[in-house]
Amino acid sequence: MAVREPLGLNLEQYKSDFQSERGTSFSHFYCPILHVDEDVDLSKGHIIPAALGGRQRVLQRSDVDNGFGSFFEAESAVAFSQTLDRPDLVDRLLTEPDDSAKLRRVKRWLEIEGNQHQIPFGLTRNGGERVLVVSKTDFPLGEKTLEVRLGVELDARSSTLISCLKMSFLHWFKQLGYRYVFSNEGILVAWVLRQVYENFIQPSQRHKKKRGLMSENVKAQVNEFCLQFANIIRPVPSEIVKSWPAELQMGTTESNWFLALVDDGQPYGRVTILRLGSEHCAVLTPTITDARGWALLDIAAHLHLEFTMAKWNADIAQFELAPPSGNSLIWPSVGYPTPPISIREAAEMVQASGRLQNL
């Protein structure tokens, strides 16, 4: 099967870049996520989904791009663009059939006052109106008037984490090429994405029905896997974003500016800023894999981190550090919070715990 090269992307440039890093070239395309060289269709995929305002693109395997897109990015896009606190959400869920494709991942149910049992329901048309249909065994009839509540939930935690991690990874692959792919940071991030693809996305791609939709059982497994990487991503409150320079507010994918976490002159972590519609998310990844780097991923403690603005300058192929901002970034942990501590203290805690032996 011949590889169909997307318009505007020169595969030879990728081959040359790969050869400069590994000493030999690939035959078809070396996937930066799967770490395999196979004869497959390629695509010019978005780094940030177009639904969230993304414009930058980079060469990807079509099956990988489509897999993450349908399985995770579609759900995370709903979470960002169809927020659950919109006052018209209930009306849209019940009355707008054209919205069903966007909101099909939103779980919805009925509850009778005083009863926490979740009653499933369907929607159908009766004349010109849409009506709710419930089972007689779930909904008691012939009694007094009942007060019913509509419950709505979208569990997009794992979808948001994986989607943002992939966006960050693809941005730095576009900027740094295979130099990033084979760096400590790139190897770690690709491993996480590869585990998700092989264990959850590929099995789903084999089923034609409801492709990309997760069952409750699969979602529970995905959440369990992603929990260990929960410290990678944080939403950034709007009041913090407003205090940032314009370059950071634009997002890393548009400006190349990010936050570098430095200790004794050594960068040990990177915070990539993603602008997703009207929201901002920060993706924290370790650039070194000693105890300080692993401490960034540990869920045991808050990290009180000093950050410096930095930019990748493609013209000179180097990172440029801005003067220290003098500010602090609190990267809160998952679970039981502790007082903020330094990265060195966090590293000592991780080493003492023995968790490094399992990483």
Side-chain angles (χ1 to χ4, degrees), residues 206-224:
R206 301 187 187 106
H207 300 284
K208 294 183 178 180
K209 293 183 178 180
K210 295 185 177 181
R211 182 175 297 177
L213 290 178
M214 285 182 272
S215 67
E216 292 295 323
N217 180 53
V218 171
K219 175 159 282 192
Q221 295 177 44
V222 172
N223 286 343
E224 182 178 5

Side-chain angles (χ1 to χ4, degrees), residues 240 244 259 261 271 303-307 327-331:
I240 293 180
W244 282 350
L259 299 176
L261 310 178
V271 179
L303 305 181
H304 185 89
L305 303 174
E306 300 293 331
F307 66 84
N327 295 321
S328 297
L329 174 64
I330 303 297
W331 204 258

Side-chain angles (χ1 to χ4, degrees), residues 230-288:
N231 267 355
I232 284 178
I233 181 176
R234 286 291 179 271
V236 185
S238 58
E239 58 269 20
I240 293 180
V241 173
K242 292 177 182 178
S243 69
W244 282 350
E247 296 86 350
L248 278 183
Q249 293 187 33
M250 291 173 59
T252 303
T253 62
E254 294 296 325
S255 69
N256 273 337
W257 283 93
F258 63 99
L259 299 176
L261 310 178
V262 182
D263 186 33
D264 286 344
Q266 169 69 54
Y268 61 87
R270 183 203 315 272
V271 179
T272 302
I273 307 300
L274 300 175
R275 183 175 181 177
L276 308 173
S278 60
E279 306 292 334
H280 288 74
C281 275
V283 180
L284 176 64
T285 47
T287 55
I288 57 177

Side-chain angles (χ1 to χ4, degrees), residues 64-97:
V64 174
D65 183 36
N66 294 335
F68 278 99
S70 62
F71 209 76
F72 290 105
E73 291 171 1
E75 183 168 86
S76 63
V78 171
F80 283 109
S81 63
Q82 308 288 329
T83 51
L84 297 184
D85 58 355
R86 283 180 50 169
D88 64 336
L89 177 64
V90 172
D91 289 339
R92 289 187 296 129
L93 285 171
L94 299 179
T95 63
E96 297 184 24

